[in-house]
Amino acid sequence: MKKKVLSALLTTTLILSLLTGCGSDGGQEGTSSGDSGSVSGSTEQSSQQESSAEASAESTGTEGSGTEASLRPETRDKITVVLFGEESPRMQELMENEFQQMFIDEINTEVELMYLPWTENGAGGKVDLMIASGQEFDACIVDPKWAASSYSKGYLQDLSGIIDKYLPDWHENVDPTAFDAYRFDGGVYAIPIGNKPTGGVFNTVCVRQDIMDALGIKNISTLEELTEYVKKAKEEYGLYATYELASAEYIIRGTGDRNITPLCKGMTDVWVDQDTNELINFVETPEFEAAVKLYNDWYAQDLIPKDILTNTVTLPFQANMTSIMRGTCGTTLIENEPGLKTVVPEGKTAEYYISPEKPIYKMTYENTAFQVPVTSQKADRVALFVNLLQKNTEMANLFAYGVEGTDYELVDGKVSKISTEELFYEWMIYNVKISSPTTAYTDEFMEVYKDWDNKALPSVSFGFSVDYSNIMTEKAQIDNVWTELATPMLAGLKDYDSNIEELKAELKKAGWDTYIAEIQRQFDEFLANK
């Protein structure tokens, strides 16, 4: 599933032009609590699964057409995979027919999907409760932040023993650095999926290009220009600015000259100076002050919705409720515009960088992966399942777009959709090495998109993740303070001057010194071993 404009400015500025204690913000943030000791047994469990799979594998060559025949188990089994959202009628039909037959033919495995609401995505949701209670399922998508929390609770298996053997095609089409975001204490605790640019993720602001065009606004490169746009969009179209908080990185990017980013993608409290490697308490920065004051001003002008902290709509931008949201490496055409067009057929989206002259940093390879809970005995089958989703163009197109001739047609090498029903998430499956782009994307866009990360510099914390095992209490207390005091400030509800000293004091009282000292120790060790 992003440089002065992606749709518009990709073609002009970039020569032409869907997702630790940190990671993506796709799920709700949970506290890292629980007993991490149970993780130690997961390596043995993984080894047992590998031995079991080896015993059942056969060199047939008569069934299956892609995954190495020797890896296709002789015995049929079944896995349950948790996804979020709602299963479309077409997805249900394909899972009962073409998709299911492909899983059986290729990996001799039946796949059952269990759908949960998107509100359950993330640490502390129903998936965690399912694992804690011993409810059996075999895989669920996860992001680095959630994975770090789950690891600290002992919920995830170490998959080190299976990733080399059971992902042969994956290794051809996905960069192995994708595993870095899911490494903890030498183990690997999720299998990433997809292969998309990640440079500058969340650093662009995604806008309604159709509204910009109607308003005669040509460019957005400063916070002043952004404010002008959101004010006019509210006046003329009744759209609020955003339901996101001011910790959105595209806001911080425009508040000062320093090159600071979250230490890890999605982290809110600890940032890093890319030029000095210094770890930063975000609330003590002038950037935090500027962001809060900007949102205070927007809130006073009724540009921030009054229910920003209680909103239950998962994707307000796609629902035509807001005029901006965070961008994601140029993928608004993949991730946001299709949903928006179901509500506003003429809607168009684009992405701009605030302060476009500043460097772009790549903090992680990918932010979506499949976790395997400690309650599952089928990690090898899950690996074969993920491998199949990333096997080749035929498979990637099948699972994302459906059956050629029925659900889509290929027009000059691009997918022209006949059915618009969601199947396996396109943003999850999409791999720039093997997936066919849709006809919505120009050749110029794809040329830039495929090379997007060539423009990005590796973050000083690339591949780093925080192990909260030694600071779980402090983490939980700091999260509570952040939710109670910092979040309302970053929503525009509380002003900076009257609340900043209380916020600083409460963070310190919650154990900030111990918390940051442990993170600093881990980061120093990470830098020393790079």
Side-chain angles (χ1 to χ4, degrees):
M1 286 99 12
K2 306 175 174 180
K3 201 140 280 143
K4 302 176 185 164
V5 166
L6 239 143
S7 304
L9 256 195
L10 268 185
T11 56
T12 47
T13 306
L14 295 178
I15 303 177
L16 290 171
S17 123
L18 69 190
L19 119 195
T20 68
C22 18
S24 129
D25 64 351
Q28 62 189 42
E29 181 174 352
T31 58
S32 298
S33 59
D35 180 11
S36 62
S38 61
V39 173
S40 61
S42 62
T43 302
E44 179 181 354
Q45 185 178 35
S46 177
S47 298
Q48 292 172 345
Q49 290 165 341
E50 182 179 3
S51 298
S52 174
E54 288 173 345
S56 64
E58 66 170 355
S59 300
T60 143
T62 59
E63 293 186 87
S65 60
T67 299
E68 293 181 5
S70 60
L71 293 183
R72 184 181 186 275
E74 180 178 5
T75 304
R76 184 172 302 179
D77 207 338
K78 182 177 183 178
I79 60 173
T80 299
V81 178
V82 175
L83 298 177
F84 297 96
E86 295 183 4
E87 185 175 34
S88 68
R90 180 56 176 156
M91 180 63 163
Q92 182 177 6
E93 182 180 9
L94 288 167
M95 283 300 297
E96 292 173 353
N97 296 287
E98 287 89 347
F99 285 0
Q100 200 63 251
Q101 191 61 53
M102 184 64 72
F103 292 133
I104 293 172
D105 288 347
E106 289 281 332
I107 60 175
N108 207 12
T109 303
E110 296 178 37
V111 178
E112 178 184 41
L113 300 182
M114 178 190 299
Y115 280 85
L116 299 177
W118 274 108
T119 52
E120 299 295 343
N121 178 47
K126 188 172 181 178
V127 174
D128 281 6
L129 294 176
M130 289 165 61
I131 299 174
S133 65
Q135 182 173 342
E136 292 186 4
F137 69 97
D138 302 295
C140 175
I141 60 172
V142 71
D143 59 56
K145 191 173 188 179
W146 183 7
S149 173
S150 296
Y151 166 75
S152 72
K153 298 172 185 177
Y155 288 170
L156 304 184
Q157 290 189 37
D158 181 1
L159 305 175
S160 302
I162 67 169
I163 58 178
D164 286 338
K165 176 166 183 156
Y166 295 103
L167 296 169
D169 304 295
W170 186 102
H171 283 290
E172 291 292 323
N173 296 316
V174 184
D175 192 320
T177 58
F179 284 120
D180 290 349
Y182 301 96
R183 295 185 189 277
F184 308 104
D185 289 337
V188 178
Y189 290 85
I191 304 173
I193 185 170
N195 186 353
K196 303 187 294 290
T198 59
V201 65
F202 302 159
N203 271 231
T204 58
V205 55
C206 178
V207 305
R208 288 282 298 278
Q209 187 63 44
D210 57 315
I211 291 178
M212 280 188 61
D213 292 343
L215 294 173
I217 298 175
K218 302 299 184 183
N219 187 32
I220 293 178
S221 61
T222 67
L223 292 179
E224 290 75 19
E225 292 173 344
L226 181 63
T227 298
E228 177 188 10
Y229 161 72
V230 298
K231 287 175 64 175
K232 290 184 176 180
K234 179 68 187 308
E235 292 170 1
E236 298 293 330
Y237 296 89
L239 300 180
Y240 284 106
T242 182
Y243 271 94
E244 296 172 319
L245 304 182
S247 55
E249 294 167 48
Y250 61 83
I251 296 290
I252 306 305
R253 184 179 173 85
T255 58
D257 295 329
R258 290 195 300 177
N259 296 313
I260 67 170
T261 66
L263 178 60
C264 305
K265 187 160 66 66
M267 199 170 195
T268 53
D269 49 7
V270 181
W271 289 50
V272 63
D273 188 314
Q274 293 289 338
D275 299 312
T276 67
N277 294 2
E278 174 191 4
L279 295 190
I280 299 168
N281 180 349
F282 183 50
V283 303
E284 295 183 347
T285 66
E287 290 87 355
F288 177 82
E289 177 180 358
V292 171
K293 290 183 174 179
L294 172 69
Y295 263 45
N296 289 161
D297 182 55
W298 283 10
Y299 190 85
Q301 298 183 61
D302 197 34
L303 300 176
I304 298 294
K306 298 298 186 287
D307 64 338
I308 186 171
L309 299 183
T310 58
N311 167 58
T312 58
V313 178
T314 305
L315 299 168
F317 181 81
Q318 293 187 24
N320 193 35
M321 296 168 61
T322 67
S323 61
I324 64 173
M325 70 171 293
R326 57 165 172 70
T328 47
C329 307
T331 60
T332 181
L333 293 178
I334 298 172
E335 299 184 8
N336 299 322
E337 195 162 297
L340 174 65
K341 283 183 176 294
T342 64
V343 181
V344 185
E346 69 277 12
K348 296 180 180 179
T349 63
E351 296 180 41
Y352 292 81
Y353 273 108
I354 307 298
S355 301
E357 72 283 355
K358 297 178 74 173
I360 310 302
Y361 295 99
K362 183 181 177 73
M363 289 187 287
T364 185
Y365 180 82
E366 188 49 78
N367 62 10
T368 302
F370 277 99
Q371 60 174 305
V372 180
V374 292
T375 51
S376 172
Q377 299 294 324
K378 303 173 183 177
D380 55 325
R381 301 278 181 155
V382 173
L384 289 172
F385 164 75
V386 179
N387 183 75
L388 195 58
L389 297 180
Q390 297 288 272
K391 178 176 174 41
N392 55 33
T393 297
E394 177 187 0
M395 297 297 182
N397 287 353
L398 172 68
F399 294 121
Y401 305 126
V403 178
E404 184 177 358
T406 301
D407 299 291
Y408 76 93
E409 295 176 343
L410 280 178
V411 179
D412 296 329
K414 294 181 180 179
V415 170
S416 176
K417 294 182 181 180
I418 300 172
S419 170
T420 59
E421 294 186 47
E422 185 171 62
L423 307 179
F424 281 101
Y425 316 127
E426 181 182 351
W427 53 262
M428 179 184 78
I429 295 287
Y430 198 84
N431 186 319
V432 293
K433 291 186 67 174
I434 58 176
S435 296
S436 297
T438 72
T439 52
Y441 317 133
T442 66
D443 293 338
E444 291 80 8
F445 169 81
M446 290 308 303
E447 181 180 346
V448 173
Y449 183 60
K450 289 180 177 180
D451 295 331
W452 183 261
D453 279 357
N454 294 343
K455 309 293 182 180
L457 302 173
S459 167
V460 297
S461 59
F462 182 87
F464 176 70
S465 59
V466 178
D467 177 2
Y468 289 116
S469 300
N470 296 329
I471 47 174
M472 290 188 294
T473 299
E474 290 80 5
K475 169 65 173 169
Q477 294 173 164
I478 287 169
D479 284 349
N480 288 336
V481 171
W482 194 271
T483 299
E484 180 181 351
L485 300 177
T487 296
M489 295 172 68
L490 289 167
L493 279 66
K494 291 187 176 182
D495 71 275
Y496 179 85
D497 294 333
S498 301
N499 295 280
I500 186 59
E501 293 306 321
E502 179 186 9
L503 173 57
K504 291 179 180 178
E506 289 300 315
L507 285 174
K508 187 174 182 64
K509 184 178 177 181
W512 181 268
D513 291 343
T514 300
Y515 174 78
I516 193 64
E518 173 62 15
I519 294 176
Q520 182 73 66
R521 181 193 67 78
Q522 294 182 28
F523 188 54
D524 289 343
E525 181 178 332
F526 167 80
L527 293 177
N529 293 327
K530 286 186 70 172

PDB file of all heavy atoms in Angstrom, residues 14-15 28 73 86 118 161 171 199 222 266 315 331 354 356 375 385 388 430 438 455 463 466 468 484 491 493:
ATOM      1  N   LEU A  14       9.833  15.243  -9.719  1.00  0.00           N
ATOM      2  CA  LEU A  14      10.667  14.052  -9.600  1.00  0.00           C
ATOM      3  C   LEU A  14      11.037  13.478 -10.954  1.00  0.00           C
ATOM      4  O   LEU A  14      11.262  12.284 -11.075  1.00  0.00           O
ATOM      5  CB  LEU A  14       9.944  12.995  -8.779  1.00  0.00           C
ATOM      6  CG  LEU A  14       9.704  13.409  -7.342  1.00  0.00           C
ATOM      7  CD1 LEU A  14       8.937  12.348  -6.610  1.00  0.00           C
ATOM      8  CD2 LEU A  14      11.016  13.685  -6.677  1.00  0.00           C
ATOM      9  N   ILE A  15      11.018  14.324 -11.910  1.00  0.00           N
ATOM     10  CA  ILE A  15      11.363  13.962 -13.287  1.00  0.00           C
ATOM     11  C   ILE A  15      10.185  13.404 -14.019  1.00  0.00           C
ATOM     12  O   ILE A  15      10.169  13.504 -15.198  1.00  0.00           O
ATOM     13  CB  ILE A  15      12.539  12.995 -13.352  1.00  0.00           C
ATOM     14  CG1 ILE A  15      13.713  13.631 -12.654  1.00  0.00           C
ATOM     15  CG2 ILE A  15      12.945  12.721 -14.752  1.00  0.00           C
ATOM     16  CD1 ILE A  15      14.901  12.742 -12.603  1.00  0.00           C
ATOM     17  N   GLN A  28      -4.293   0.359  17.096  1.00  0.00           N
ATOM     18  CA  GLN A  28      -4.295   1.153  18.309  1.00  0.00           C
ATOM     19  C   GLN A  28      -3.079   0.793  19.120  1.00  0.00           C
ATOM     20  O   GLN A  28      -2.600  -0.317  19.125  1.00  0.00           O
ATOM     21  CB  GLN A  28      -5.587   0.905  19.090  1.00  0.00           C
ATOM     22  CG  GLN A  28      -5.748  -0.540  19.534  1.00  0.00           C
ATOM     23  CD  GLN A  28      -7.130  -0.769  20.100  1.00  0.00           C
ATOM     24  OE1 GLN A  28      -8.117  -0.288  19.562  1.00  0.00           O
ATOM     25  NE2 GLN A  28      -7.203  -1.501  21.176  1.00  0.00           N
ATOM     26  N   PRO A  73       3.345 -30.305   1.197  1.00  0.00           N
ATOM     27  CA  PRO A  73       3.138 -31.417   2.128  1.00  0.00           C
ATOM     28  C   PRO A  73       2.260 -32.505   1.529  1.00  0.00           C
ATOM     29  O   PRO A  73       1.333 -32.233   0.765  1.00  0.00           O
ATOM     30  CB  PRO A  73       2.440 -30.739   3.323  1.00  0.00           C
ATOM     31  CG  PRO A  73       2.798 -29.296   3.207  1.00  0.00           C
ATOM     32  CD  PRO A  73       2.888 -29.025   1.739  1.00  0.00           C
ATOM     33  N   GLU A  86     -14.558  -6.526   6.318  1.00  0.00           N
ATOM     34  CA  GLU A  86     -15.666  -7.421   6.014  1.00  0.00           C
ATOM     35  C   GLU A  86     -15.352  -8.211   4.742  1.00  0.00           C
ATOM     36  O   GLU A  86     -14.785  -7.668   3.799  1.00  0.00           O
ATOM     37  CB  GLU A  86     -16.959  -6.632   5.814  1.00  0.00           C
ATOM     38  CG  GLU A  86     -17.447  -5.906   7.061  1.00  0.00           C
ATOM     39  CD  GLU A  86     -18.764  -5.215   6.827  1.00  0.00           C
ATOM     40  OE1 GLU A  86     -19.335  -5.362   5.727  1.00  0.00           O
ATOM     41  OE2 GLU A  86     -19.235  -4.510   7.748  1.00  0.00           O
ATOM     42  N   TRP A 118     -11.994  -3.556  11.800  1.00  0.00           N
ATOM     43  CA  TRP A 118     -10.710  -2.854  11.818  1.00  0.00           C
ATOM     44  C   TRP A 118     -10.417  -2.246  13.187  1.00  0.00           C
ATOM     45  O   TRP A 118      -9.254  -1.993  13.534  1.00  0.00           O
ATOM     46  CB  TRP A 118     -10.690  -1.771  10.743  1.00  0.00           C
ATOM     47  CG  TRP A 118     -10.270  -2.276   9.402  1.00  0.00           C
ATOM     48  CD1 TRP A 118     -11.041  -2.454   8.299  1.00  0.00           C
ATOM     49  CD2 TRP A 118      -8.937  -2.685   9.018  1.00  0.00           C
ATOM     50  NE1 TRP A 118     -10.302  -2.961   7.257  1.00  0.00           N
ATOM     51  CE2 TRP A 118      -9.003  -3.106   7.666  1.00  0.00           C
ATOM     52  CE3 TRP A 118      -7.718  -2.748   9.676  1.00  0.00           C
ATOM     53  CZ2 TRP A 118      -7.892  -3.574   6.978  1.00  0.00           C
ATOM     54  CZ3 TRP A 118      -6.594  -3.216   8.986  1.00  0.00           C
ATOM     55  CH2 TRP A 118      -6.696  -3.620   7.654  1.00  0.00           C
ATOM     56  N   GLY A 161      13.374 -20.705  12.297  1.00  0.00           N
ATOM     57  CA  GLY A 161      13.617 -22.041  11.778  1.00  0.00           C
ATOM     58  C   GLY A 161      12.891 -22.371  10.488  1.00  0.00           C
ATOM     59  O   GLY A 161      13.143 -23.414   9.893  1.00  0.00           O
ATOM     60  N   HIS A 171      11.797 -15.032  -1.131  1.00  0.00           N
ATOM     61  CA  HIS A 171      13.183 -14.541  -1.124  1.00  0.00           C
ATOM     62  C   HIS A 171      13.607 -14.009  -2.489  1.00  0.00           C
ATOM     63  O   HIS A 171      14.541 -13.210  -2.582  1.00  0.00           O
ATOM     64  CB  HIS A 171      14.133 -15.647  -0.660  1.00  0.00           C
ATOM     65  CG  HIS A 171      14.115 -15.874   0.827  1.00  0.00           C
ATOM     66  ND1 HIS A 171      14.632 -14.984   1.720  1.00  0.00           N
ATOM     67  CD2 HIS A 171      13.593 -16.886   1.553  1.00  0.00           C
ATOM     68  CE1 HIS A 171      14.467 -15.441   2.954  1.00  0.00           C
ATOM     69  NE2 HIS A 171      13.833 -16.591   2.880  1.00  0.00           N
ATOM     70  N   GLY A 199      10.321   4.985   1.712  1.00  0.00           N
ATOM     71  CA  GLY A 199      11.031   6.225   1.999  1.00  0.00           C
ATOM     72  C   GLY A 199      10.066   7.371   2.240  1.00  0.00           C
ATOM     73  O   GLY A 199       9.155   7.603   1.454  1.00  0.00           O
ATOM     74  N   THR A 222       4.391  24.594   2.429  1.00  0.00           N
ATOM     75  CA  THR A 222       4.594  25.183   3.751  1.00  0.00           C
ATOM     76  C   THR A 222       3.348  24.958   4.587  1.00  0.00           C
ATOM     77  O   THR A 222       2.255  24.685   4.060  1.00  0.00           O
ATOM     78  CB  THR A 222       4.859  26.690   3.672  1.00  0.00           C
ATOM     79  OG1 THR A 222       3.670  27.354   3.201  1.00  0.00           O
ATOM     80  CG2 THR A 222       6.027  27.006   2.740  1.00  0.00           C
ATOM     81  N   GLY A 266       5.944   5.373  13.669  1.00  0.00           N
ATOM     82  CA  GLY A 266       4.770   5.310  14.514  1.00  0.00           C
ATOM     83  C   GLY A 266       5.028   5.663  15.960  1.00  0.00           C
ATOM     84  O   GLY A 266       4.097   5.822  16.736  1.00  0.00           O
ATOM     85  N   LEU A 315     -11.808   5.478   8.337  1.00  0.00           N
ATOM     86  CA  LEU A 315     -11.092   6.189   7.290  1.00  0.00           C
ATOM     87  C   LEU A 315     -11.860   7.459   6.909  1.00  0.00           C
ATOM     88  O   LEU A 315     -12.518   7.513   5.866  1.00  0.00           O
ATOM     89  CB  LEU A 315     -10.902   5.292   6.072  1.00  0.00           C
ATOM     90  CG  LEU A 315     -10.093   4.011   6.310  1.00  0.00           C
ATOM     91  CD1 LEU A 315     -10.228   3.067   5.125  1.00  0.00           C
ATOM     92  CD2 LEU A 315      -8.638   4.338   6.579  1.00  0.00           C
ATOM     93  N   THR A 331       1.426   6.196  -2.421  1.00  0.00           N
ATOM     94  CA  THR A 331       0.423   5.161  -2.658  1.00  0.00           C
ATOM     95  C   THR A 331      -1.007   5.638  -2.440  1.00  0.00           C
ATOM     96  O   THR A 331      -1.911   4.820  -2.316  1.00  0.00           O
ATOM     97  CB  THR A 331       0.680   3.940  -1.756  1.00  0.00           C
ATOM     98  OG1 THR A 331       0.620   4.352  -0.376  1.00  0.00           O
ATOM     99  CG2 THR A 331       2.027   3.328  -2.058  1.00  0.00           C
ATOM    100  N   ILE A 354       5.635  18.938   2.821  1.00  0.00           N
ATOM    101  CA  ILE A 354       5.924  20.210   3.462  1.00  0.00           C
ATOM    102  C   ILE A 354       7.450  20.294   3.575  1.00  0.00           C
ATOM    103  O   ILE A 354       8.112  19.305   3.880  1.00  0.00           O
ATOM    104  CB  ILE A 354       5.283  20.290   4.860  1.00  0.00           C
ATOM    105  CG1 ILE A 354       3.776  19.975   4.779  1.00  0.00           C
ATOM    106  CG2 ILE A 354       5.518  21.648   5.485  1.00  0.00           C
ATOM    107  CD1 ILE A 354       2.982  20.940   3.931  1.00  0.00           C
ATOM    108  N   PRO A 356       9.777  20.634   1.085  1.00  0.00           N
ATOM    109  CA  PRO A 356      10.257  19.608   0.145  1.00  0.00           C
ATOM    110  C   PRO A 356      11.765  19.585  -0.032  1.00  0.00           C
ATOM    111  O   PRO A 356      12.308  18.611  -0.553  1.00  0.00           O
ATOM    112  CB  PRO A 356       9.553  19.988  -1.160  1.00  0.00           C
ATOM    113  CG  PRO A 356       9.214  21.428  -1.023  1.00  0.00           C
ATOM    114  CD  PRO A 356       8.922  21.645   0.419  1.00  0.00           C
ATOM    115  N   THR A 375      -0.025 -20.191  19.969  1.00  0.00           N
ATOM    116  CA  THR A 375      -1.057 -21.229  20.053  1.00  0.00           C
ATOM    117  C   THR A 375      -1.151 -22.083  18.792  1.00  0.00           C
ATOM    118  O   THR A 375      -1.847 -23.099  18.783  1.00  0.00           O
ATOM    119  CB  THR A 375      -2.430 -20.573  20.312  1.00  0.00           C
ATOM    120  OG1 THR A 375      -2.641 -19.529  19.352  1.00  0.00           O
ATOM    121  CG2 THR A 375      -2.491 -19.980  21.717  1.00  0.00           C
ATOM    122  N   PHE A 385       1.829 -20.354   2.791  1.00  0.00           N
ATOM    123  CA  PHE A 385       0.717 -19.488   2.388  1.00  0.00           C
ATOM    124  C   PHE A 385       1.221 -18.108   1.984  1.00  0.00           C
ATOM    125  O   PHE A 385       0.883 -17.586   0.916  1.00  0.00           O
ATOM    126  CB  PHE A 385      -0.275 -19.408   3.547  1.00  0.00           C
ATOM    127  CG  PHE A 385      -1.266 -18.285   3.462  1.00  0.00           C
ATOM    128  CD1 PHE A 385      -2.337 -18.343   2.579  1.00  0.00           C
ATOM    129  CD2 PHE A 385      -1.138 -17.173   4.283  1.00  0.00           C
ATOM    130  CE1 PHE A 385      -3.262 -17.304   2.514  1.00  0.00           C
ATOM    131  CE2 PHE A 385      -2.058 -16.137   4.231  1.00  0.00           C
ATOM    132  CZ  PHE A 385      -3.121 -16.197   3.340  1.00  0.00           C
ATOM    133  N   LEU A 388       3.118 -18.143  -1.247  1.00  0.00           N
ATOM    134  CA  LEU A 388       2.250 -18.238  -2.422  1.00  0.00           C
ATOM    135  C   LEU A 388       1.686 -16.871  -2.800  1.00  0.00           C
ATOM    136  O   LEU A 388       1.564 -16.543  -3.984  1.00  0.00           O
ATOM    137  CB  LEU A 388       1.111 -19.212  -2.142  1.00  0.00           C
ATOM    138  CG  LEU A 388       0.305 -19.710  -3.344  1.00  0.00           C
ATOM    139  CD1 LEU A 388       1.213 -20.405  -4.348  1.00  0.00           C
ATOM    140  CD2 LEU A 388      -0.812 -20.642  -2.886  1.00  0.00           C
ATOM    141  N   TYR A 430       0.521  -6.031  -2.825  1.00  0.00           N
ATOM    142  CA  TYR A 430       1.232  -5.345  -3.899  1.00  0.00           C
ATOM    143  C   TYR A 430       2.758  -5.436  -3.743  1.00  0.00           C
ATOM    144  O   TYR A 430       3.318  -5.150  -2.689  1.00  0.00           O
ATOM    145  CB  TYR A 430       0.826  -3.878  -3.981  1.00  0.00           C
ATOM    146  CG  TYR A 430       1.194  -3.275  -5.325  1.00  0.00           C
ATOM    147  CD1 TYR A 430       0.349  -3.414  -6.418  1.00  0.00           C
ATOM    148  CD2 TYR A 430       2.411  -2.636  -5.511  1.00  0.00           C
ATOM    149  CE1 TYR A 430       0.701  -2.909  -7.657  1.00  0.00           C
ATOM    150  CE2 TYR A 430       2.769  -2.125  -6.741  1.00  0.00           C
ATOM    151  CZ  TYR A 430       1.910  -2.260  -7.811  1.00  0.00           C
ATOM    152  OH  TYR A 430       2.255  -1.773  -9.030  1.00  0.00           O
ATOM    153  N   THR A 438      -2.637  -1.158 -11.933  1.00  0.00           N
ATOM    154  CA  THR A 438      -3.942  -0.994 -12.559  1.00  0.00           C
ATOM    155  C   THR A 438      -3.873   0.146 -13.567  1.00  0.00           C
ATOM    156  O   THR A 438      -2.915   0.926 -13.597  1.00  0.00           O
ATOM    157  CB  THR A 438      -5.036  -0.676 -11.527  1.00  0.00           C
ATOM    158  OG1 THR A 438      -4.871   0.657 -11.036  1.00  0.00           O
ATOM    159  CG2 THR A 438      -4.995  -1.668 -10.373  1.00  0.00           C
ATOM    160  N   LYS A 455      15.378   7.676  -3.867  1.00  0.00           N
ATOM    161  CA  LYS A 455      15.490   9.069  -3.454  1.00  0.00           C
ATOM    162  C   LYS A 455      15.643   9.213  -1.944  1.00  0.00           C
ATOM    163  O   LYS A 455      15.860  10.313  -1.445  1.00  0.00           O
ATOM    164  CB  LYS A 455      14.247   9.850  -3.891  1.00  0.00           C
ATOM    165  CG  LYS A 455      13.869   9.693  -5.364  1.00  0.00           C
ATOM    166  CD  LYS A 455      14.903  10.314  -6.276  1.00  0.00           C
ATOM    167  CE  LYS A 455      14.467  10.195  -7.738  1.00  0.00           C
ATOM    168  NZ  LYS A 455      15.456  10.796  -8.654  1.00  0.00           N
ATOM    169  N   GLY A 463      15.910  -0.312  10.825  1.00  0.00           N
ATOM    170  CA  GLY A 463      16.052  -1.665  11.339  1.00  0.00           C
ATOM    171  C   GLY A 463      16.048  -1.775  12.845  1.00  0.00           C
ATOM    172  O   GLY A 463      16.073  -2.878  13.393  1.00  0.00           O
ATOM    173  N   VAL A 466      12.552  -1.321  19.576  1.00  0.00           N
ATOM    174  CA  VAL A 466      12.740  -1.269  21.018  1.00  0.00           C
ATOM    175  C   VAL A 466      12.184  -2.524  21.662  1.00  0.00           C
ATOM    176  O   VAL A 466      11.063  -2.942  21.361  1.00  0.00           O
ATOM    177  CB  VAL A 466      12.040  -0.036  21.624  1.00  0.00           C
ATOM    178  CG1 VAL A 466      12.212  -0.016  23.139  1.00  0.00           C
ATOM    179  CG2 VAL A 466      12.583   1.251  21.022  1.00  0.00           C
ATOM    180  N   TYR A 468      10.810  -3.662  25.002  1.00  0.00           N
ATOM    181  CA  TYR A 468      10.289  -3.033  26.211  1.00  0.00           C
ATOM    182  C   TYR A 468      10.300  -3.952  27.436  1.00  0.00           C
ATOM    183  O   TYR A 468       9.759  -3.589  28.483  1.00  0.00           O
ATOM    184  CB  TYR A 468       8.847  -2.569  25.959  1.00  0.00           C
ATOM    185  CG  TYR A 468       8.732  -1.389  25.042  1.00  0.00           C
ATOM    186  CD1 TYR A 468       8.091  -1.507  23.812  1.00  0.00           C
ATOM    187  CD2 TYR A 468       9.257  -0.155  25.387  1.00  0.00           C
ATOM    188  CE1 TYR A 468       7.977  -0.429  22.958  1.00  0.00           C
ATOM    189  CE2 TYR A 468       9.153   0.927  24.543  1.00  0.00           C
ATOM    190  CZ  TYR A 468       8.505   0.791  23.333  1.00  0.00           C
ATOM    191  OH  TYR A 468       8.396   1.865  22.492  1.00  0.00           O
ATOM    192  N   GLU A 484      -3.628  10.887  28.264  1.00  0.00           N
ATOM    193  CA  GLU A 484      -4.392  11.823  29.093  1.00  0.00           C
ATOM    194  C   GLU A 484      -4.017  13.282  28.844  1.00  0.00           C
ATOM    195  O   GLU A 484      -4.879  14.166  28.831  1.00  0.00           O
ATOM    196  CB  GLU A 484      -4.184  11.485  30.573  1.00  0.00           C
ATOM    197  CG  GLU A 484      -4.947  12.402  31.519  1.00  0.00           C
ATOM    198  CD  GLU A 484      -4.713  12.065  32.980  1.00  0.00           C
ATOM    199  OE1 GLU A 484      -4.096  11.013  33.252  1.00  0.00           O
ATOM    200  OE2 GLU A 484      -5.144  12.842  33.850  1.00  0.00           O
ATOM    201  N   ALA A 491      -4.432  17.386  19.638  1.00  0.00           N
ATOM    202  CA  ALA A 491      -5.714  17.443  18.941  1.00  0.00           C
ATOM    203  C   ALA A 491      -6.251  18.862  18.882  1.00  0.00           C
ATOM    204  O   ALA A 491      -7.301  19.100  18.295  1.00  0.00           O
ATOM    205  CB  ALA A 491      -6.725  16.529  19.628  1.00  0.00           C
ATOM    206  N   LEU A 493      -7.252  20.578  21.492  1.00  0.00           N
ATOM    207  CA  LEU A 493      -8.222  20.831  22.555  1.00  0.00           C
ATOM    208  C   LEU A 493      -7.621  21.567  23.744  1.00  0.00           C
ATOM    209  O   LEU A 493      -8.321  22.322  24.431  1.00  0.00           O
ATOM    210  CB  LEU A 493      -8.844  19.514  23.044  1.00  0.00           C
ATOM    211  CG  LEU A 493      -9.979  18.925  22.199  1.00  0.00           C
ATOM    212  CD1 LEU A 493      -9.500  18.491  20.830  1.00  0.00           C
ATOM    213  CD2 LEU A 493     -10.613  17.744  22.927  1.00  0.00           C
TER     214      LEU A 493
END
